[in-house]
C-alpha cells in the first residue's frame, strides 16, 4: 500500500491481512476492546479473535467462531444453521468480556456472555429467532411483518455494556434492549424509526436503511443511513425514540437522498453508500464507503449538511473511489471500507474492497 494516500491526518500505518494460511475475504466488521481485536471475516462466514492487537501483516487468530479451522469458510459451516455457525457476519461488539455478533444472513444476533475460548464455540443466546436452528427473516419468511423479537438482515450491533442496539436493516429500524438479553428470542424494549414494532413502511425522516448504530460517551446517537446517503445524529440518544434526528450529515433535509447530492464528484459535505460511523473525542468519523474515504468532523455538526474538517484516504474532498491510484488495481489506497473503530488514538479501518485492515495512528 502507498500509505501517503491516507493523508496527513494519520501516521504509522500498516496493513493486517489476518491468517497467512487463509487471509481475510471482505471483512465487514471490526471491534477493539482491552487491546483485543475482533473481526467479522464476512466473506468466509467467520469471526476471528486476537488476544492482542497484531503488529505484523499476518497472524493466526487465537479463536475462530463460525468455523472449526482457519481453512474452512462455508456458509453455516457447510451444514445446517446452529449455535456454532455463521452466515455473513457483519457488525460486531465486545467489551473484552461479552461478545455480540450480527449474523446478518441468518437473520439473527448471537451473544456470548463470556469470551469464547475454543473454535466454533456455541453462542449462549440468539436474538431474532426462536432457537438456534431457525433462520428465516422475521421467523416466517420474506413477506412476514416484523415483531418486537424478530430480525431481517441485522447488520449492526452496539452496546454500552448495559443496553443493546441492533440495526435491523431489512426491517428499516433500530431495536433497543434496556438490558443485554440472557434468553433466546427476547423482545426489544423500544424501537427507533418506527411508530411500533409491526411497521416496516417508512417516512423520509426515519432511518430508511440503518446499517450501523453508535453511541458516544456523552450520550449522542448516530445511525449510518445507507440508502439515503446520510448519517442521522441525535444529541441525546433517548430522543431518538420519539423525534426525528437533530442533525443530518450528508444531505440538506430529510427529503433529499441523492448520491453525493446528485453531483458528479464528492465534496466535503456529501456521502456515497455510508456504512459506519465512529465517535472520536468531541467529534465523529464518517465511513464514506462509496467514496472510499473517511470524513473527519472535529466537533459534532450543529446544522444539516455541514462540511467535514478533514479526510482520510483521498488527496482532497473532490476525489472519489475511482482515481489514478486505482487504475491498475485498488491496493495502493483504501477501497470500499465498511467499518471503522478507534482505540485511544489508533484508527482501525476494515478495508473491505482490499480484503484487509488498515491500522494507523490518528493525529490529534
Amino acid at each position: 500500500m502507498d500509505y501517503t494516500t491516507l493523508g496527513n491526518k494519520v501516521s504509522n500505518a500498516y496493513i493486517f491481512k489476518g491468517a497467512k494460511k487463509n487471509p481475510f475475504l471482505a471483512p465487514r466488521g471490526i471491534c477493539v476492546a482491552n487491546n483485543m481485536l475482533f473481526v467479522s471475516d464476512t466473506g468466509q462466514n467467520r469471526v476471528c479473535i486476537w488476544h492482542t492487537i497484531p503488529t505484523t501483516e499476518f497472524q493466526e487468530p487465537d479463536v475462530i467462531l463460525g468455523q472449526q479451522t482457519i481453512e474452512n469458510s462455508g456458509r453455516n459451516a457447510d451444514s445446517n444453521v446452529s449455535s456454532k455457525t455463521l452466515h455473513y457476519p457483519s457488525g460486531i461488539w465486545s467489551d473484552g468480556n461479552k461478545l455480540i455478533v450480527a449474523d446478518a444472513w441468518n437473520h439473527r444476533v448471537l451473544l456470548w456472555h463470556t469470551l469464547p475460548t475454543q473454535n466454533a464455540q456455541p453462542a449462549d443466546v440468539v436474538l431474532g429467532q426462536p432457537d438456534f436452528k431457525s433462520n428465516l427473516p422475521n421467523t416466517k419468511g420474506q413477506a412476514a411483518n416484523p415483531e418486537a423479537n424478530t430480525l431481517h438482515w441485522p447488520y449492526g450491533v452496539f452496546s454500552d455494556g448495559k443496553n443493546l442496539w441492533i440495526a435491523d436493516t431489512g426491517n428499516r429500524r433500530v431495536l433497543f434492549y434496556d438490558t443485554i438479553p440472557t434468553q433466546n428470542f427476547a423482545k426489544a424494549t423500544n424501537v427507533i424509526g418506527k411508530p411500533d414494532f409491526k411497521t416496516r413502511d417508512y417516512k423520509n425522516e426515519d432511518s430508511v436503511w440503518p446499517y450501523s448504530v453508535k453511541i458516544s460517551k456523552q450520550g449522542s446517537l448516530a445511525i449510518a443511513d445507507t440508502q439515503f446517503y446520510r448519517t442521522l445524529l441525535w444529541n441525546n440518544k433517548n430522543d431518538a425514540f420519539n423525534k426525528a434526528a437533530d442533525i443530518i450529515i450528508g444531505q440538506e433535509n430529510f427529503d433529499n437522498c441523492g448520491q453525493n447530492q446528485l453531483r458528479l464528484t464528492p465534496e466535503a459535505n456529501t456521502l456515497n453508500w455510508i456504512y459506519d460511523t465512529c465517535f472520536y473525542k468531541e467529534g465523529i468519523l464518517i465511513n464514506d464507503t462509496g467514496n472510499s474515504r473517511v470524513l473527519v468532523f472535529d466537533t459534532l455538526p450543529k446544522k444539516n449538511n455541514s462540511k467535514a474538517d478533514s479526510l482520510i484516504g483521498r488527496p482532497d474532498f473532490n476525489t472519489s473511489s475511482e482515481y489514478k491510484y486505482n487504475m491498475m488495481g485498488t491496493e495502493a489506497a483504501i477501497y470500499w471500507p465498511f467499518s471503522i473503530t478507534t482505540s485511544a488514538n489508533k484508527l482501525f479501518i476494515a478495508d473491505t474492497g482490499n480484503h484487509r485492515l488498515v491500522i494507523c495512528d490518528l493525529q490529534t
Side-chain angles (χ1 to χ4, degrees):
M1 179 176 181
D2 180 355
Y3 296 108
T4 63
T5 63
L6 293 170
N8 59 12
K9 190 69 179 179
V10 301
S11 62
N12 302 320
Y14 65 96
I15 286 171
F16 180 54
K17 295 183 179 179
K20 194 167 188 177
K21 292 180 182 178
N22 192 13
F24 294 136
L25 179 63
R28 284 197 174 204
I30 185 169
C31 179
V32 175
N34 295 349
N35 203 42
M36 303 175 69
L37 176 66
F38 305 81
V39 178
S40 288
D41 189 12
T42 306
Q44 302 195 80
N45 303 293
R46 64 189 186 188
V47 166
C48 298
I49 303 173
W50 287 266
H51 292 157
T52 57
I53 294 172
T55 57
T56 55
E57 184 176 5
F58 296 99
Q59 184 174 318
E60 302 302 304
D62 296 295
V63 177
I64 308 159
L65 300 176
Q67 308 290 345
Q68 191 63 53
T69 68
I70 195 65
E71 290 84 4
N72 297 339
S73 61
R75 299 173 181 178
N76 287 318
D78 291 321
S79 184
N80 295 323
V81 60
S82 74
S83 59
K84 297 181 178 182
T85 71
L86 294 167
H87 187 188
Y88 214 78
S90 295
I92 187 168
W93 176 88
S94 179
D95 59 357
N97 298 303
K98 296 179 174 65
L99 176 64
I100 304 174
V101 176
D103 188 13
W105 286 8
N106 279 323
H107 308 288
R108 65 184 187 176
V109 168
L110 299 179
L111 293 84
W112 288 261
H113 290 312
T114 58
L115 280 187
T117 57
Q118 298 178 347
N119 288 356
Q121 184 168 320
D124 298 309
V125 172
V126 59
L127 301 178
Q129 301 292 341
D131 53 57
F132 288 109
K133 296 180 180 180
S134 304
N135 67 345
L136 289 177
N138 290 323
T139 72
K140 297 177 183 178
Q142 195 80 20
N145 289 326
E147 302 285 347
N149 53 356
T150 71
L151 294 168
H152 184 186
W153 291 333
Y155 283 110
V157 292
F158 185 82
S159 178
D160 57 6
K162 175 186 176 183
N163 306 301
L164 171 64
W165 290 262
I166 298 175
D168 186 15
T169 310
N171 284 323
R172 303 178 183 273
R173 65 184 185 176
V174 171
L175 293 182
F176 170 76
Y177 297 77
D178 59 7
T179 59
I180 296 176
T182 58
Q183 300 294 323
N184 293 348
F185 209 37
K187 292 183 178 181
T189 311
N190 213 331
V191 60
I192 297 171
K194 295 291 173 285
D196 55 61
F197 289 112
K198 296 179 181 293
T199 299
R200 189 175 182 272
D201 291 338
Y202 67 89
K203 299 176 182 178
N204 288 354
E205 59 264 32
D206 299 335
S207 50
V208 178
W209 195 251
Y211 203 90
S212 81
V213 54
K214 297 291 178 65
I215 310 294
S216 75
K217 292 181 179 179
Q218 294 75 27
S220 298
L221 183 151
I223 294 176
D225 193 8
T226 305
Q227 200 170 41
F228 267 35
Y229 312 105
R230 66 189 183 185
T231 293
L232 300 177
L233 181 65
W234 287 262
N235 295 322
N236 185 325
K237 63 182 187 295
N238 297 320
D239 291 341
F241 299 122
N242 50 43
K243 66 185 287 287
D246 297 305
I247 299 296
I248 309 169
I249 302 173
Q251 302 291 346
E252 292 184 348
N253 55 56
F254 288 111
D255 293 325
N256 289 4
C257 57
Q259 197 170 13
N260 282 323
Q261 298 185 22
L262 302 179
R263 298 167 189 174
L264 293 176
T265 60
E267 297 188 18
N269 57 335
T270 73
L271 295 171
N272 182 6
W273 297 113
I274 154 76
Y275 283 99
D276 199 12
T277 67
C278 180
F279 288 103
Y280 178 66
K281 295 188 179 298
E282 301 301 316
I284 191 170
L285 309 178
I286 305 292
N287 198 35
D288 187 10
T289 304
N291 288 321
S292 294
R293 64 184 188 176
V294 176
L295 295 183
V296 181
F297 294 82
D298 294 334
T299 58
L300 296 183
K302 302 297 184 185
K303 62 180 182 179
N304 292 351
N305 205 26
S306 294
K307 293 182 178 181
D309 296 294
S310 56
L311 80 164
I312 297 166
R314 289 295 177 265
D316 55 60
F317 287 114
N318 302 119
T319 301
S320 68
S321 287
E322 312 307 328
Y323 79 120
K324 61 181 181 180
Y325 284 101
N326 295 144
M327 290 182 68
M328 303 302 293
T330 63
E331 296 86 355
I334 60 173
Y335 191 72
W336 279 75
F338 267 79
S339 182
I340 52 174
T341 193
T342 60
S343 178
N345 291 326
K346 194 170 288 291
L347 173 65
F348 300 78
I349 303 172
D351 188 13
T352 309
N354 284 315
H355 312 293
R356 65 191 182 188
L357 306 188
V358 174
I359 303 172
C360 49
D361 294 332
L362 280 163
Q363 299 298 303
T364 57

